[in-house]
Amino acid sequence: MVLPATPVLAFGTWLLVQSRAAAGAPTVSIFLKPPGVIPPGGSTTICCSCQCADGNAVLYKDGRRLRTRELRDGRAEFPISNATQKDAGPYSCHYLAGGTVLARSETLEMTVTAEFRLPRPVLSVLPALEVAAGARVTFRCTITHPRAGCFLYLEGQDKAPDFIHKDQDDFNLPRVHKGNEGRYSCQCYSGAALVEWSGVSNSLDLVVKDYTWSNVVRLVLGAAVLVLLGLIVAEDRHRLWCIRPAGRGGHRTAPCTQSSL
């Protein structure tokens, strides 16, 4: 039996829709690219990322509106070059659509410090840059300074960076997941009353391969859609065959011609 094409297509569409998460309320995040403390004269980019439809991102500093940019692929970027102490301070992003503010980000504190005096650290990741979900991953920020503490940055993260104490050598993630994936770097400092900073380390991209049940379900749904498409093709081919009379009261199937339709 061949299924009718319309219900098959409808069911396939339903499977595709069910395989995606339902869209929720828009959310906005704010982060620096690259992350870290900035030296005078340095440059960075304030990024506003929005899980939303088309609209505008509005950049605020100390509650004062600065600039507005159109969102492209859910992101708006605000570059800062030749940074000074006047650029330091709290920033936030608002998502604006139709003249209405629909979402606000958390506050990002941008720091512009004196000239970097500590040596630049080196970041390494163990056991590898590509791991399976659930694996243990170690980040090692190495600096040739005996009393330096370090911050571990994840680009695009809108929460406070992880801290590696001066008495620790590593930062560990006991069980990584897809949310831990991304570009990492580190930056170190020393001192209490007078803080001295290093530059930002090399950046490394961590890839997490997720073989969990949710991904298996997505694969099964994709396979189901392919099977349904195959059934549609089979139905079309079936319609192109006609039953023709054969000798002695029998019948045979043969390709339909214009005269037999």
Side-chain angles (χ1 to χ4, degrees), residues 73-248:
D73 297 326
R75 178 178 291 191
E77 297 187 347
F78 301 88
I80 294 176
S81 58
N82 196 23
T84 67
Q85 286 293 338
K86 291 182 179 180
D87 295 308
Y91 290 83
S92 64
C93 291
H94 292 183
Y95 166 53
L96 191 67
T100 303
V101 175
L102 300 180
R104 296 175 173 85
S105 73
E106 299 292 333
T107 300
L108 168 71
E109 188 71 34
M110 192 173 84
T111 303
V112 180
T113 187
E115 181 182 355
F116 294 152
R117 299 182 182 277
L118 300 187
R120 187 170 180 243
V122 176
L123 179 65
S124 57
V125 178
L126 300 172
L129 291 176
E130 186 173 308
V131 295
R136 179 185 177 90
V137 172
T138 297
F139 296 92
R140 182 166 296 165
C141 190
T142 304
I143 184 171
T144 56
H145 191 286
R147 296 181 301 278
C150 302
F151 288 99
L152 181 66
Y153 301 128
L154 172 58
E155 187 174 296
Q157 182 174 266
D158 60 350
K159 68 180 185 66
D162 295 303
F163 179 64
I164 305 175
H165 194 269
K166 61 184 179 181
D167 297 326
Q168 295 176 310
D169 294 326
D170 309 317
F171 179 82
N172 296 305
L173 293 175
R175 293 181 60 85
V176 295
H177 51 79
K178 290 294 288 185
N180 300 128
E181 194 173 63
R183 176 163 295 178
Y184 286 84
S185 59
C186 66
Q187 188 174 26
C188 304
Y189 78 97
S190 178
L194 180 61
V195 177
E196 295 182 331
W197 287 88
S198 73
V200 179
S201 73
N202 58 304
S203 59
L204 296 174
D205 295 324
L206 178 67
V207 178
V208 179
K209 296 294 186 180
D210 189 358
Y211 302 107
T212 58
W213 174 247
S214 61
N215 279 337
V216 173
V217 170
R218 292 189 183 97
L219 290 174
V220 170
L221 289 173
V225 171
L226 291 177
V227 170
L228 292 172
L229 291 175
L231 290 174
I232 294 172
V233 173
E235 181 184 16
D236 289 340
R237 289 186 175 180
H238 175 77
R239 288 176 176 177
L240 294 178
W241 289 82
C242 295
I243 300 177
R244 298 176 179 274
R248 298 183 179 179

